[in-house]
């Protein structure tokens, strides 16, 4: 299956809130015709209503792909409308945190091709990263189709085991929020040193965005890039001695942060 099949047979998006809209924005920008998309969402947002996609219309009987992007807690209410598409050729791709492939097989039928995916919101600007894993019925074809679709909104990595998905969620699914909070706290710290709110936010945003692009494009590791900024006994060293403090700095805090998110992903599996 390729994007042409998706354009011909249709893509159904169950739930189109923040994550669904981020991906849809990316797919439409990549050339997927809006008329090939059916959104099912009781509260469609302004973007969805203006996107030219079918909104809460009758669904095609056998679309190429169904993307499940409702909250884990809404799954039991939302999924039954799609049950008739199970055990067929329609590929289901779920982005919901914590919901296992086995749970979908239980709700849609054990012969349903299913890909479990964990994207992130930078997908809206084509800079997402999505991890994917498939059941046996989806196989390489299904993985390839999901990969093709998700590559339109950023990078895609294949996981070896579904169990890795909880930690992936803790790192890259939730990760943009950690980075946005880094921007918020960097800007607040600049204000505390006497800068205006606007100037400090402009400096913080550009610094995080610029460092991100440099980390992505440079041949050096992030560690080396950090060392390159750090003059011996200079300002960065003074700052990093606080940030990298093994007892109270970022390393133990990040361990706890990712640990808590990973644990929550495991808990969501149990309702
Ligand atoms: N927001 C993020 O950064 C990421 C979210 N996810 C996953 O994406 C899923 C959606 O998360 P968000 O987009 O953040 O939540 P959201 O609350 O923004 O979107 C959920 C959408 O589902 C709709 N909805 C509610 N009941 C429904 C039903 N019965 N049928 C169809 N649609 C229904 C809501 O109206 C809403 O538009 C979750 O499962 C989450 O784990 C995955 C990766 C990143
Ligand atoms: O917070 C959540 O549960 C979802 C999953 C990853 C990002 N947002």
């Amino acid at each position: 299956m390729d994007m042409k099949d998706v354009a011909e047979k249709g893509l159904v998006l169950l739930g189109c809130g923040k994550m669904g809209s981020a991906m849809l924005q990316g797919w439409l920008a990549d050339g997927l015709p809006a008329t090939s998309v059916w959104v099912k969402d009781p509260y469609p947002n302004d973007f969805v209503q203006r996107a030219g996609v079918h909104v809460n219309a009758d669904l095609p009987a056998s679309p190429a792909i169904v993307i499940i992007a409702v909250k884990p807690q809404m799954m039991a209410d939302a999924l039954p409308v799609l049950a008739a598409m199970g055990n067929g050729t329609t590929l289901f791709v779920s982005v919901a945190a914590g919901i296992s492939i086995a749970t979908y097989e239980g709700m849609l039928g054990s012969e349903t091709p299913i890909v479990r995916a964990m994207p992130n919101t930078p997908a809206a600007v084509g800079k997402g990263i999505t991890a994917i894993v498939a059941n046996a019925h989806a196989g390489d074809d299904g993985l390839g189709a999901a990969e093709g679709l998700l590559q339109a909104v950023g990078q895609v990595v294949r996981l070896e085991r579904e169990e890795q998905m909880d930690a992936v969620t803790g790192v890259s699914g939730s990760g943009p929020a950690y980075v946005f909070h880094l921007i918020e706290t960097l800007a607040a710290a600049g204000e505390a040193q006497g800068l205006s709110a606007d100037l400090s936010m402009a400096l913080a945003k550009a610094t995080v965005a610029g460092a991100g692009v440099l980390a992505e494009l440079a041949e050096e590791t992030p560690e080396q890039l950090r060392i390159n900024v750090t003059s011996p006994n200079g300002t960065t060293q003074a700052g990093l001695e606080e940030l990298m403090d093994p007892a109270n700095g970022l390393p133990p805090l990040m361990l706890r942060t990712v640990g808590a998110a990973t644990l929550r992903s495991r808990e969501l599996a149990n309702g």
Side-chain angles (χ1 to χ4, degrees), residues 13-23 39-45 48 56 68-81 94-99 104 117-122 129 169 172-177 180 268:
L13 191 46
L14 180 72
C16 196
K18 289 177 280 291
M19 193 61 241
S21 298
M23 293 187 294
V39 168
K40 200 93 189 154
D41 191 315
Y43 308 103
N45 61 30
V48 172
N56 294 324
I68 303 171
V70 295
K71 297 265 187 203
Q73 296 83 352
M74 303 162 185
M75 204 60 73
D77 282 343
L79 214 53
V81 288
S94 164
V95 304
I99 308 291
Y104 290 111
M118 180 46 58
N120 60 14
T121 53
I129 183 156
T169 304
S172 60
S174 299
F180 298 135
L268 285 171

